[in-house]
């Protein structure tokens, strides 16, 4: 496989991530803070297929492009998104290389979701709402939702990985 | 290993709920803060609608029937408005930096002024 097709796939994966990110904003959710984090499916798939640099590239492209499209660039939502995205990508990659055989995409996705949530709560506290009781009150709900969405996204990533590795890496673009 | 992480998170979640509950006072005061500064402290049992200036514009907070809601907000996602009426806990609007909490009379000393 040449470098050029890799770059092509990474660009395509970034586009998927931006698309999912945008679609997700349109889905009505029962709880206001609930974000499924569908874009994390793409981040995790990229990490597993192409490694850390590619995964981080897709995450950063998704966050920057997503914020340009929604007009939230450099606003609070952007800061939370950037902090959560970057930290969860790092943690998922570290867990993947440290516990190579022990963790399936579900475990990795769970770690990513929780890291994302904790980073966002921390940043929200640090920069926007210096009210510890407000952060503590919403933490359990966010933790619970993160666990549920983490398993969901991990299962989908697992299905994608299964299809991709069965049909060979060249078919990545087709899923 | 997957199951271990899952189990750990579930346990953490289960433990954190009662812990967080301790911070939710069945209070009777509505505290409205903008940009980390207390703007209003209002009794929960009196119907009132107030407007608070936040980072992005004016938030409108309504108190009625011992419940509070964010009636209007200039933030893009309107998560605070969609949260609806609350009896306890908090409504946090990050974009506009407006926080509404329901608590009781304790720790009154930390505020400079109380407007009723």
């Amino acid at each position: 496989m040449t470098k050029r097709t890799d770059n092509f796939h990474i660009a395509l994966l970034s586009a998927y991530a931006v698309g999912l990110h945008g679609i997700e904003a349109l889905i009505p959710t029962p709880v206001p803070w609930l974000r499924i984090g569908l874009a994390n499916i793409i981040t995790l798939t990229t990490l597993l297929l192409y490694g850390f640099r590619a995964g981080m590239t897709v995450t950063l492209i998704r966050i920057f492009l997503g914020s340009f499209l929604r007009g939230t660039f450099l606003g609070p939502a952007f800061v939370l998104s950037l902090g959560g995205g970057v930290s969860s990508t790092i943690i998922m990659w570290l867990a993947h290389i440290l516990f190579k055989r022990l963790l399936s995409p579900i475990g990795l996705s769970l770690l990513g979701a929780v890291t994302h949530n904790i980073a966002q709560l921390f940043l929200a506290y640090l920069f926007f709402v210096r009210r510890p009781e407000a952060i503590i009150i919403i933490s359990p709900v966010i933790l619970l939702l993160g666990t549920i969405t983490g398993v969901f996204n991990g299962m989908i990533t697992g299905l994608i990985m299964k299809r991709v590795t069965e049909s060979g890496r060249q078919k990545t673009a087709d899923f | 290993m997957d199951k271990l992480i899952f189990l750990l998170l579930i346990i953490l979640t289960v433990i954190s709920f009662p812990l967080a509950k301790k911070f939710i006072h069945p209070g009777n005061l509505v505290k409205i803060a903008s940009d980390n500064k207390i703007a209003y402290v209002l009794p929960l049992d009196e119907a009132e609608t107030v407007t608070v200036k936040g980072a992005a514009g004016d938030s409108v907070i309504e108190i009625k029937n011992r419940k509070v809601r964010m009636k209007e907000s200039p933030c893009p996602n309107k998560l605070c408005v969609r949260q609806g009426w609350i009896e306890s806990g908090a409504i946090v609007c990050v974009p506009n930096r407006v926080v509404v909490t329901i608590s009781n009379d304790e720790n009154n000393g930390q505020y400079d002024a109380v407007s009723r």
Side-chain angles (χ1 to χ4, degrees):
Chain A
M1 172 164 292
T2 63
K3 190 88 186 18
R4 185 172 289 168
T5 46
D6 269 7
N7 280 340
F8 170 70
H9 287 161
I10 289 162
L12 202 57
L13 285 161
S14 302
Y16 286 147
V18 174
L20 283 174
H21 191 68
I23 287 169
E24 195 178 272
L26 302 175
I27 302 173
T29 51
V31 193
W33 322 283
L34 177 62
R35 281 279 155 265
I36 312 169
L38 290 173
N40 198 42
I41 296 171
I42 306 296
T43 301
L44 187 51
T45 308
T46 314
L47 276 179
L48 296 174
L49 287 175
Y50 298 105
F52 180 69
R53 276 192 61 175
M56 192 55 95
T57 307
V58 168
T59 302
L60 290 176
I61 288 175
R62 192 253 305 163
I63 291 165
F64 276 82
L65 267 186
S67 76
F68 292 154
L69 290 173
R70 285 213 252 163
T72 55
F73 183 57
L74 294 182
F78 171 78
V79 174
L80 296 184
S81 190
L82 184 67
V86 169
S87 57
S88 70
T89 307
I90 293 171
I91 292 291
M92 285 193 295
W93 177 247
L94 282 179
H96 175 58
I97 48 174
L98 286 177
F99 310 106
K100 202 132 203 159
R101 301 260 164 262
L102 293 167
L103 280 175
S104 79
I106 296 179
L108 292 173
S109 164
L110 267 173
L111 285 173
V114 168
T115 310
H116 197 273
N117 289 342
I118 292 173
Q120 293 206 327
L121 284 172
F122 180 69
L123 286 172
Y125 172 71
L126 210 60
F127 293 124
F128 308 116
V129 278
R130 282 228 165 232
R131 321 224 76 223
E133 71 273 21
I135 299 289
I136 290 168
I137 286 165
I138 53 172
S139 295
V141 185
I142 290 191
L143 209 61
L144 176 69
L145 295 174
T147 308
I148 298 166
T149 57
V151 170
F152 176 78
N153 290 340
M155 280 160 72
I156 293 180
T157 310
L159 289 175
I160 292 173
M161 287 304 290
K162 218 171 163 186
R163 289 201 70 152
V164 169
T165 42
E166 266 169 16
S167 53
R169 279 180 63 169
Q170 292 89 331
K171 287 273 178 73
T172 315
D174 298 338
F175 64 71
Chain B
M1 189 78 173
D2 274 354
K3 281 174 192 145
L4 195 76
I5 291 173
F6 183 68
L7 217 71
L8 231 84
L9 283 176
I10 291 292
I11 292 169
L12 204 67
T13 308
V14 170
I15 296 172
S16 67
F17 268 99
L19 272 177
K21 213 158 202 174
K22 279 192 184 157
F23 283 85
I24 305 178
H25 309 288
N28 44 27
L29 279 185
V30 180
K31 288 170 190 163
I32 302 163
S34 170
D35 205 9
N36 303 322
K37 285 187 276 291
I38 298 279
Y40 288 97
V41 179
L42 301 164
L44 187 59
D45 43 22
E46 279 172 40
E48 190 158 7
T49 305
V50 292
T51 308
V52 181
K53 212 171 161 51
D58 287 346
S59 292
V60 179
I61 294 125
E62 186 180 13
I63 305 170
K64 207 176 170 185
N65 301 328
R66 291 196 62 83
K67 283 178 184 172
V68 188
R69 71 162 168 171
M70 189 77 80
K71 198 177 179 186
E72 283 165 37
S73 174
C75 57
N77 296 329
K78 302 273 185 281
L79 299 184
C80 48
V81 177
R82 282 166 60 194
Q83 200 177 337
W85 293 99
I86 62 160
E87 288 173 89
S88 61
I91 301 172
V92 181
C93 181
V94 174
N96 205 24
R97 304 208 194 174
V98 170
V99 178
V100 180
T101 41
I102 302 178
S103 59
N104 48 30
D105 263 310
E106 287 173 72
N107 314 324
N108 238 350
Q110 66 183 99
Y111 308 113
D112 297 336
V114 175
S115 75
R116 282 179 193 257

